[in-house]
Amino acid sequence: MTDEGQSPQSNESSPQGGVNRRSFLVGGAAGLGLAALGAGGYQLTARTLEADPAEEFQDGRPVLFRSATVVTQDSDLGTLREADVLVADGEVQAVGYDLSSPEDAAVIDAAGAILMPGMIDTHRHMWQSVLRGVGADWTITNYFQRIYEEWGPLWRPEDVYAGNLLSMVEAIDAGVTTSLDWSHGLRTPDHADAAADALFDSGGRARLAYGNIFDVPQNWVPGGDPDRLLNERFPSSHTSTDQLVTMQLAWDGGGEDPDFPERPAWEFAVDRDLPVTLHAGVWGYPLDIAIENLSSSGFLLPTNTYVHAASLQSSSYELLAESGGTVSISAESELNAGQGYPPTGEVRDHGIPISLSMDTSVWWSADMFAAMRATLNADRGLDHMQAHERDETVINNDLRTQDVLGYATQGGADALHMGARLGSITPGKAADLVMLRTDTASMSPLSDPTHQVVFQAQRSEVDTVMVGGTVMKRAGRLLRSESLERARRLAQESQDHLREEIGEDAWEEALHPPEFETQPADHSVE
């Protein structure tokens, strides 16, 4: 056993079976009924229950995950095989071997399964989920034309609610325990309330990034409604996990005007201590000049997240690195829509922290396993292509599976400024956990859990999901099944409404855009 107060070292091998299995306890166990037995381990007092999951996992009940392969994402703990994780009072209380638990704990037999931190998506336009798949063959030009200019104003508040609720239910089901709702369709206070209502109703952890593509931020940000919503609905700081849903701001990333007309919006954000997430480095729109204007105006802030951040020069990445801001990579989006090639290599070379995101299910999968794979594929593919152009070959890959798993977990927590509370399975952090089955064909046999989480795991293998100590999914099914049924019904009703407003001819044209064509890029903004 480790000395009291010290963290155990990372353990990458399975503990030996038989008598006198080594045990350790990490974190506070006071008041949890842990009966120590000395060097031989801890007495197991709770029994594994066979009750209906919805009844078994009631609010406030401790949970013990028994004998899992625990991919902690904690640099001190590493990956532990056949280990236990004890959850109580919404937090991870202990990580180790042969842990005891309170008498009233529910015990999950996790033998053979992988237990990992919940994934964190730092950029998803949830309101658009009601048009899932419509834009699968679009480019960014098609998207701006239809969503920004033509269709976006057709969303009613109830359509925003339906999209957000469906997207949150989908995220929880897929092992994404925290989602940043890049909610830039909030053109009225009713739309904003609907977005917030859906996030709260879902039971998941979310960050509402208040945005409005129908006006410039210097108008709508200080115009009153963000303040109203903040005061009415969000008493907790954006860094707090006490409230599952917190708030920040979102807008597209500036223009070429050296007078910096967006200044009132940025001053509001700083005054209210609200982080800003902004689309930046998008081909066809102001690129490096927008970053330079932010820098010279004093708003290249450490609380900023730059979504995409592609198509930039090295000088811009240097400014981002100096500022302490973060970059959200949406590789499925960037590879398909045309914002620019996923810039993971350039961003890493400059030491800028990275998180991952899915962007919008109008196009893409909303699958963070796919996000990790797309990020690796794009980065490694570019390395190989560039090496071949030099008549060389890559001997060892630079970007590793451990890196992208970190982007999808701790990287996301850090981008939301919640890294001290989320992102790893660490005693004292909030218990946002995901358990993956490995008894499937695609996950068998298990060799390296990190490798297989990134390259083999599917959403269908997400067996159990916990948010803040509350079990949201167990044995492959959502415990709030009525939420899924309601979300699907409302989303279908919204799609029917939007399709009728759009018209059948325009709908069919959107589903099947014309053949490939190009035109010169216009980097100006109106």
Side-chain angles (χ1 to χ4, degrees), residues 25 27-37 42-43 45 86 93-94 99-102:
L25 178 67
L32 293 178
L34 299 176
L37 295 179
Y42 288 86
Q43 181 181 5
T45 56
L86 177 62
Q93 298 291 335
L99 299 183
S100 182
S101 66

Side-chain angles (χ1 to χ4, degrees), residues 9-225:
Q9 296 300 309
S10 172
N11 186 329
E12 293 289 346
S13 61
S14 299
Q16 298 300 313
V19 186
N20 293 328
R21 236 177 104 193
R22 186 172 65 86
S23 302
F24 58 76
L25 178 67
V26 184
L32 293 178
L34 299 176
L37 295 179
Y42 288 86
Q43 181 181 5
L44 177 61
T45 56
R47 57 190 176 86
T48 303
L49 303 178
E50 303 294 338
D52 181 283
E55 298 177 0
E56 181 180 350
F57 301 107
Q58 298 182 7
D59 288 346
R61 187 175 192 182
V63 176
L64 178 68
F65 293 88
R66 177 71 76 195
S67 298
T69 296
V70 186
V71 181
T72 70
Q73 292 301 107
D74 181 301
S75 59
D76 291 327
L77 295 176
T79 294
L80 308 170
R81 300 193 185 247
E82 296 183 41
D84 307 335
V85 174
L86 177 62
V87 172
D89 299 325
E91 295 183 347
V92 175
Q93 298 291 335
V95 180
Y97 298 119
D98 293 326
L99 299 183
S100 182
S101 66
E103 291 284 352
D104 61 341
V107 179
I108 294 177
D109 182 0
I114 294 172
L115 189 65
M116 61 177 282
M119 291 176 284
I120 298 174
D121 183 340
T122 57
H123 159 236
R124 190 180 300 196
H125 303 300
M126 292 187 163
W127 61 289
Q128 298 171 5
S129 297
V130 296
L131 292 190
R132 185 184 306 279
V134 170
D137 290 327
W138 289 0
T139 64
I140 196 72
T141 300
N142 306 141
Y143 173 79
F144 285 145
Q145 173 194 346
R146 294 198 168 90
I147 300 299
Y148 274 54
E149 297 176 11
E150 298 173 0
W151 296 0
L154 302 178
W155 260 259
R156 306 164 298 177
E158 54 262 48
D159 303 319
V160 170
Y161 179 94
N164 274 25
L165 183 63
L166 179 65
S167 190
M168 282 296 293
V169 171
E170 176 185 23
I172 294 166
D173 191 41
V176 179
T177 52
T178 302
S179 298
L180 184 140
D181 173 28
W182 223 101
S183 203
H184 58 346
L186 307 184
R187 58 190 177 88
T188 73
D190 288 342
H191 287 77
D193 280 323
D197 287 342
L199 300 181
F200 280 106
D201 289 350
S202 73
R205 195 181 303 280
R207 172 72 58 81
L208 175 63
Y210 194 127
N212 179 3
I213 57 174
F214 308 105
D215 199 357
V216 291
Q218 57 265 36
N219 290 342
W220 65 263
V221 173
D225 197 59

Side-chain angles (χ1 to χ4, degrees), residues 99 111 114 157 175 192 249 274 339 341 356 444:
L99 299 183
I114 294 172
L249 297 171
L274 292 175
Q339 299 95 331
Y341 201 83
L356 301 185
S444 298

Side-chain angles (χ1 to χ4, degrees), residues 166 194 198 219 242 262 310 312 318 332 361 395 403 426 486 493:
L166 179 65
N219 290 342
D242 295 338
E262 304 92 347
L312 296 174
E318 290 173 5
E332 279 194 341
S361 56
I395 302 300
D403 296 326
T426 301
R486 180 168 178 259
E493 291 172 358

Side-chain angles (χ1 to χ4, degrees), residues 134-451:
V134 170
D137 290 327
W138 289 0
T139 64
I140 196 72
T141 300
N142 306 141
Y143 173 79
F144 285 145
Q145 173 194 346
R146 294 198 168 90
I147 300 299
Y148 274 54
E149 297 176 11
E150 298 173 0
W151 296 0
L154 302 178
W155 260 259
R156 306 164 298 177
E158 54 262 48
D159 303 319
V160 170
Y161 179 94
N164 274 25
L165 183 63
L166 179 65
S167 190
M168 282 296 293
V169 171
E170 176 185 23
I172 294 166
D173 191 41
V176 179
T177 52
T178 302
S179 298
L180 184 140
D181 173 28
W182 223 101
S183 203
H184 58 346
L186 307 184
R187 58 190 177 88
T188 73
D190 288 342
H191 287 77
D193 280 323
D197 287 342
L199 300 181
F200 280 106
D201 289 350
S202 73
R205 195 181 303 280
R207 172 72 58 81
L208 175 63
Y210 194 127
N212 179 3
I213 57 174
F214 308 105
D215 199 357
V216 291
Q218 57 265 36
N219 290 342
W220 65 263
V221 173
D225 197 59
D227 237 0
R228 174 198 66 83
L229 196 69
L230 183 65
N231 292 329
E232 290 181 1
R233 308 294 296 273
F234 299 99
S236 297
S237 164
H238 66 270
T239 62
S240 173
T241 55
D242 295 338
Q243 183 170 317
L244 285 177
V245 185
T246 53
M247 179 179 153
Q248 67 171 82
L249 297 171
W251 56 73
D252 290 337
E256 299 173 302
D257 189 342
D259 291 335
F260 199 66
E262 304 92 347
R263 181 178 299 276
W266 284 99
E267 290 175 341
F268 177 96
V270 171
D271 184 66
R272 304 306 192 277
D273 191 28
L274 292 175
V276 176
T277 173
L278 58 156
H279 291 135
V282 175
W283 179 259
Y285 285 77
L287 299 171
D288 302 284
I289 185 63
I291 302 298
E292 292 166 10
N293 283 344
L294 277 173
S295 178
S296 62
S297 300
F299 294 108
L300 213 59
L301 304 172
T303 51
N304 293 354
T305 294
Y306 305 90
V307 176
H308 304 306
S311 303
L312 296 174
Q313 298 297 315
S314 181
S315 59
S316 289
Y317 291 120
E318 290 173 5
L319 289 173
L320 298 187
E322 292 170 2
S323 75
T326 65
V327 167
S328 177
I329 301 289
S330 300
E332 279 194 341
S333 174
E334 290 130 17
L335 289 168
N336 284 274
Q339 299 95 331
Y341 201 83
T344 48
E346 192 87 44
V347 173
R348 290 200 325 280
D349 287 347
H350 285 87
I352 303 169
I354 296 174
S355 64
L356 301 185
S357 58
M358 290 311 311
D359 205 333
T360 173
S361 56
V362 168
W363 269 288
W364 301 295
S365 66
D367 178 355
M368 287 292 284
F369 297 112
M372 289 189 282
R373 288 191 273 273
T375 303
L376 265 183
N377 294 343
D379 191 274
R380 291 176 174 180
L382 182 62
D383 281 349
H384 287 298
M385 184 180 71
Q386 291 176 339
H388 296 169
E389 290 172 349
R390 301 189 301 268
D391 198 26
E392 297 174 355
T393 189
V394 174
I395 302 300
N396 294 306
N397 285 316
D398 184 15
L399 188 63
R400 302 300 177 99
T401 53
Q402 178 61 45
D403 296 326
V404 295
L405 183 57
Y407 300 160
T409 53
Q410 189 63 55
D414 293 341
L416 297 183
H417 315 287
M418 303 176 82
R421 294 288 294 151
L422 303 176
S424 66
I425 303 179
T426 301
K429 283 193 174 186
D432 288 10
L433 309 177
V434 171
M435 191 174 82
L436 304 178
R437 296 176 55 191
T438 62
D439 61 346
T440 60
S442 58
M443 291 292 281
S444 298
L446 184 63
S447 54
D448 185 289
T450 299
H451 293 179

